[in-house]
Amino acid sequence: MASHRKSRTPGARVAGIRTPALATAALTSVALLSQTADAAPSDDGRPSLEEVEKKVDDLYRQAESATEKYNGAKEKTAKQRKRVDTLLDDVAKRTQTLNEAREELGSFAAAQYRTGAGVPDTATFLLADSPQDFFDRNQLMDRMTGRQKAAVDDYVTQQSETMEKRQEAAESLATLTESQDDLKTAKATVQRKLGAARELMSKLTAEEKARLAAAEEKKREEAAREAAELVRQQEAERQAAEEEARQPESGSAGASGTSEPSGSSGSSGSTSTAPSASTDSSYAAKAEKALAFARAQIGKPYVWGATGPGSYDCSGLTQGAWRAAGVSLPRTTYDQVEAGTTVPVSQAQPGDLVFFYDDITHVGVYVGNGMMIHAPKPGTYVREESIFYDGESSIHSVVRPA
């Protein structure tokens, strides 16, 4: 995932996201780059270092957005192809059954012809444009035996059902073709955006690349300070909650003057908190497994569209991590953000999913202490990093799966 810079309207925040307490890393990066690169194009017409960095960031963002569309189209295509295969198998079986019914009717016609018993109406039936046309013209059913009638009924039913399934298969094939076209379009977009980003970076001098790397390091330091601030806020909220929880107990005990009401109050409090404690314990056990998986992937390369085991994109990593905990997450960030309960950033717990940007195109697994494990962007590796790596304003929401 690139270090994407994206502005928000001051004060406009998604529910559950805390108000910025520090300057964002994105603003820090701009200030740093202003110190290390000319804002205006150089004399030779080349863009400034700041302009290149912003353009590359934008291209990476666009590539990751296209990657999630590719992931969704790939999943849809796989499901549609499976459906088409199932329908075609069904059509083949029904066609075989229809042929067998046709052969049975043909045997009746042959027998009538050999014996000269009656008019060869069955043969005429087989030559008609449709069974119904024949019935309307010749009133065959009045001249058939019970066995012949059953054979015709079976043939008509099999023919009708087979035609319906063929039509359904044809429609599914058309849908599959559309999904394949969407897949090709998304793939081409990803490759085009990444190619443009690589081309821009290839034109930078060694000195310019070093200055960009230094600016990135400064951003990471700012992100680490944001994470430390989050930890302090979480600790303050925890202490405040504990203090608030103690106050009703002491008030109840002081008012009663007896042990029985106090015991009742304690029992009631235990009953109300026990389910929550049980839920937290169950979630923590699953989260531990998800995090163990994510940690084991650190150092593996980011590859768009990858779901492991040798490489991952962002949503492929989170999906794999929670699969290891026995929880099935959807493939894309757009769907994963709906697969759980949204919580405030200040209440994030290890294992939660942290989503980024208004278009929800990036995700990581929360580790604790303001840190996460994620697959950042092309050219990087799975790593542990502050959730403020691209500034507080880039955080979209935190979701607790399962």
Side-chain angles (χ1 to χ4, degrees):
M1 186 76 190
S3 299
H4 314 303
R5 183 173 296 105
K6 178 173 63 63
S7 62
R8 284 182 183 269
T9 303
R13 303 288 288 157
V14 177
I17 306 301
R18 68 193 182 97
T19 303
L22 299 173
T24 65
L27 292 177
T28 301
S29 178
V30 172
L32 289 166
L33 287 170
S34 296
Q35 298 170 8
T36 58
D38 296 330
S42 58
D43 294 338
D44 60 5
R46 295 176 62 207
S48 69
L49 187 56
E50 180 183 0
E51 290 172 336
V52 171
E53 189 227 22
K54 184 180 185 305
K55 182 62 176 177
V56 169
D57 283 354
D58 289 343
L59 287 168
Y60 277 137
R61 278 288 314 282
Q62 293 166 21
E64 188 146 32
S65 177
T67 294
E68 290 304 315
K69 292 179 181 178
Y70 170 86
N71 292 339
K74 184 178 181 180
E75 186 175 47
K76 181 180 178 181
T77 298
K79 290 180 179 178
Q80 194 63 29
R81 182 177 289 113
K82 184 177 180 180
R83 173 172 172 76
V84 167
D85 290 344
T86 300
L87 285 170
L88 291 178
D89 287 343
D90 189 26
V91 167
K93 292 177 182 178
R94 289 179 181 277
T95 300
Q96 177 63 31
T97 302
L98 184 64
N99 290 337
E100 292 172 356
R102 185 189 296 272
E103 290 174 2
E104 185 175 5
L105 288 175
S107 67
F108 288 136
Q112 287 175 329
Y113 182 78
R114 287 194 304 269
T115 63
V119 182
D121 291 323
T122 306
T124 308
F125 166 77
L126 291 173
L127 295 174
D129 291 336
S130 72
Q132 189 60 51
D133 289 342
F134 180 82
F135 296 152
D136 292 342
R137 293 196 306 265
N138 300 286
Q139 298 179 345
L140 176 63
M141 296 302 290
D142 291 339
R143 294 190 289 264
M144 282 186 171
T145 66
R147 185 179 175 189
Q148 286 176 313
K149 290 180 180 180
V152 170
D153 286 342
D154 181 58
Y155 177 80
V156 172
T157 299
Q158 292 294 339
Q159 185 185 54
S160 176
E161 292 179 354
T162 301
M163 292 303 294
E164 288 179 2
K165 287 298 180 180
R166 285 176 179 172
Q167 179 62 31
E168 189 177 351
E171 293 173 354
S172 293
L173 278 170
T175 302
L176 175 60
T177 300
E178 292 176 0
S179 297
Q180 291 173 328
D181 289 342
D182 291 342
L183 189 63
K184 292 178 182 178
T185 299
K187 181 177 181 179
T189 301
V190 173
Q191 293 173 331
R192 186 171 64 254
K193 299 299 182 182
L194 293 182
R198 285 193 293 267
E199 183 179 1
L200 282 172
M201 292 298 292
S202 69
K203 295 179 180 180
L204 296 179
T205 65
E207 180 186 359
E208 288 172 327
K209 291 179 180 178
R211 286 155 62 185
L212 277 181
E216 285 293 319
E217 180 59 31
K218 290 292 186 182
K219 287 177 66 176
R220 283 192 287 271
E221 292 175 0
E222 176 63 23
R225 286 192 289 272
E226 288 267 8
E229 171 63 22
L230 174 61
V231 172
R232 286 191 291 271
Q233 180 180 351
Q234 290 175 330
E235 179 60 20
E237 290 184 2
R238 184 187 65 79
Q239 292 179 356
E242 290 179 352
E243 180 63 27
E244 183 178 356
R246 284 195 295 267
Q247 288 177 356
E249 293 178 5
S250 59
S252 174
S256 64
T258 63
S259 60
E260 183 175 352
S262 177
S264 299
S265 174
S267 174
S268 175
S270 175
T271 301
S272 63
T273 58
S276 176
S278 175
T279 301
D280 288 347
S281 176
S282 174
Y283 180 77
K286 294 177 182 178
E288 185 177 355
K289 293 178 181 179
L291 285 172
F293 179 93
R295 287 193 180 96
Q297 313 316 309
I298 290 177
K300 294 183 179 180
Y302 174 103
V303 174
W304 67 271
T307 57
S311 57
Y312 295 88
D313 63 15
C314 66
S315 56
L317 176 64
T318 52
Q319 184 186 49
W322 273 99
R323 184 189 299 118
V327 176
S328 179
L329 289 181
R331 175 64 180 95
T332 66
T333 53
Y334 314 123
D335 293 326
Q336 288 183 8
V337 75
E338 302 292 338
T341 303
T342 302
V343 297
V345 172
S346 62
Q347 296 178 19
Q349 294 181 10
D352 290 352
L353 302 180
V354 186
F355 294 90
F356 297 85
Y357 313 111
D358 287 338
D359 53 359
I360 319 175
T361 52
H362 190 64
V363 62
V365 185
Y366 189 66
V367 176
N369 296 327
M371 305 294 287
M372 68 177 174
I373 297 173
H374 70 147
K377 62 180 180 179
T380 64
Y381 299 83
V382 176
R383 66 194 183 201
E384 184 172 330
E385 191 167 26
S386 168
I387 63 174
F388 302 104
Y389 80 111
D390 197 21
E392 187 177 32
S393 65
S394 68
I395 299 176
H396 177 275
S397 56
V398 176
V399 172
R400 189 158 299 154

